[in-house]
């Protein structure tokens, strides 16, 4: 009587007729095949490249990757925000005259390294609330004069020429409204600028997220072409890198 010895590697346990035994699984890939597939899935290959060739994350200048770091990681590690309290003092006007005023307020401080600032994905937003509020406050005298001028036109004085009165009132109102108009115009321009940045943020972020920086050489690069017109495997200074990213968002010239 001869017996055959099964040399297959046991990989899965099953149970037949109440007996627990081990059989080979035919639904699992070898470990090396899985590792090879994982390497290929780490990044999709660019158009025209061999599907079996992965991306090269070495710095194009020094050909090393030990000092290479992604741009979003540099931006996150180089920016810190802190909150605290601050105190202020001044002089106010009360029923009895001038009175001292003291108080406290919560402040927010954001500190960034020079490198993190140079790799910003977009320009800083400019606030418009204070300009609008100040412009509305400065427009009150002009509105009051305009109301008084309308009343004077409706009930004109006998010795006053109505056309001349209208011309003088218009000039006076315009001179009082000029600071308010300038502030409101600046607020509108800032709002347009902010909206332009918001519209191009998605396109610029997709390019910015794929960038890398070499701490040894001080240059940025893209391992692959993330968008049309974005050069791959070329070294750029942080300022040039930022210019390319902002150009992708169509707000490089603001």
């Amino acid at each position: 009587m001869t017996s055959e010895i099964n040399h297959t590697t046991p990989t899965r346990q099953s149970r037949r007729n109440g007996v627990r035994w081990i059989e080979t699984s035919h639904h699992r890939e070898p470990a090396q095949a899985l590792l090879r597939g994982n390497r290929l899935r780490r990044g999709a290959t660019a158009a025209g490249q061999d599907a079996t060739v992965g991306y090269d994350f070495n710095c194009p200048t020094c050909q090393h990757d030990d000092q290479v770091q992604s741009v979003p990681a540099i931006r996150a590690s180089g920016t810190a925000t802190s909150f605290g309290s601050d105190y202020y003092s001044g002089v106010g006007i009360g029923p009895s005259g001038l009175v001292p005023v003291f108080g406290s307020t919560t402040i927010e401080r954001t500190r960034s390294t020079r490198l993190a600032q140079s790799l910003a994905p977009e320009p800083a937003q400019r606030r418009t609330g204070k300009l609008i509020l100040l412009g509305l406050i400065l427009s009150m005298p002009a509105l009051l004069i305009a109301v008084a001028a309308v009343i004077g036109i409706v009930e004109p004085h006998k010795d006053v020429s109505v056309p001349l009165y209208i011309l003088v009132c218009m000039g006076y109102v315009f001179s009082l409204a000029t600071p308010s108009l300038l502030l409101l115009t600046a607020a509108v321009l800032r709002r347009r600028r902010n909206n332009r940045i918001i519209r191009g943020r998605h396109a610029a972020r997709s390019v910015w997220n794929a960038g890398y920086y070499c701490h040894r050489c001080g240059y940025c690069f893209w391992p692959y072409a993330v968008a049309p017109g974005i050069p791959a495997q070329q070294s750029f200074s942080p300022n040039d890198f930022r210019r390319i990213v902002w150009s992708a968002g169509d707000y490089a010239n603001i």
Side-chain angles (χ1 to χ4, degrees):
M1 179 181 297
T2 61
S3 60
E4 297 181 357
I5 300 176
N6 190 0
H7 295 282
T8 58
T9 303
T11 58
R12 186 177 59 184
Q13 294 183 354
S14 63
R15 187 179 298 272
R16 292 184 181 179
N17 298 328
V19 179
R20 186 178 182 182
W21 63 295
I22 298 176
E23 64 178 359
T24 304
S25 173
H26 301 285
H27 303 284
R28 297 185 178 182
E29 300 178 1
Q32 293 183 356
L34 289 175
L35 292 176
R36 183 172 61 252
N38 184 51
R39 295 193 197 98
L40 297 178
R41 287 191 295 269
R42 288 179 59 184
T45 55
Q49 290 184 351
D50 187 0
T52 61
V53 178
Y55 295 138
D56 184 11
F57 290 91
N58 292 331
C59 173
T61 303
C62 64
Q63 297 300 322
H64 291 85
D65 63 352
D66 56 335
Q67 296 293 327
V68 171
Q69 187 179 12
S70 67
V71 171
I74 295 175
R75 179 70 177 175
S77 61
T79 304
T81 302
S82 60
F83 299 87
S85 298
D86 199 0
Y87 301 93
Y88 61 89
S89 61
V91 178
I93 300 177
S96 59
L98 299 178
V99 294
V101 178
F102 301 93
S104 62
T105 182
T106 302
I107 58 175
E108 177 183 349
R109 295 188 178 93
T110 301
R111 297 182 178 88
S112 300
T113 63
R114 184 174 299 179
L115 178 60
Q117 293 176 359
S118 64
L119 297 177
E122 62 187 38
Q125 297 278 335
R126 294 181 179 177
R127 298 181 179 180
T128 60
K130 292 183 179 180
L131 289 179
I132 295 175
L133 179 60
L134 186 58
L136 293 178
I137 293 175
L138 293 179
S139 67
M140 297 303 296
L143 292 176
L144 294 177
I145 295 298
V147 172
V150 172
I151 296 175
I153 294 173
V154 174
E155 300 178 357
H157 196 274
K158 296 181 180 180
D159 299 333
V160 176
S161 173
V162 175
L164 180 61
Y165 177 78
I166 294 175
L167 184 62
V168 172
C169 290
M170 289 180 60
Y172 194 40
V173 170
F174 180 77
S175 63
L176 291 177
T178 299
S180 174
L181 293 176
L182 293 176
L183 291 175
L184 294 177
T185 301
V188 171
L189 295 178
R190 284 190 178 187
R191 183 64 60 86
R192 290 181 178 178
R193 175 184 180 275
N194 295 340
N195 292 335
R196 184 175 178 181
I197 294 174
I198 293 174
R199 288 194 302 267
R201 178 179 294 169
H202 178 73
R205 285 272 181 175
S206 62
V207 176
W208 180 77
N209 286 329
Y212 286 82
Y213 177 82
C214 179
H215 292 275
R216 177 183 286 108
C217 304
Y219 288 103
C220 302
F221 68 96
W222 283 277
Y224 54 93
V226 296
I230 304 299
Q233 292 297 329
Q234 295 185 22
S235 298
F236 298 95
S237 65
N239 292 333
D240 292 336
F241 175 86
R242 184 183 64 234
R243 178 182 54 80
I244 295 174
V245 171
W246 290 10
S247 298
D250 194 25
Y251 47 70
N253 58 345
I254 61 176

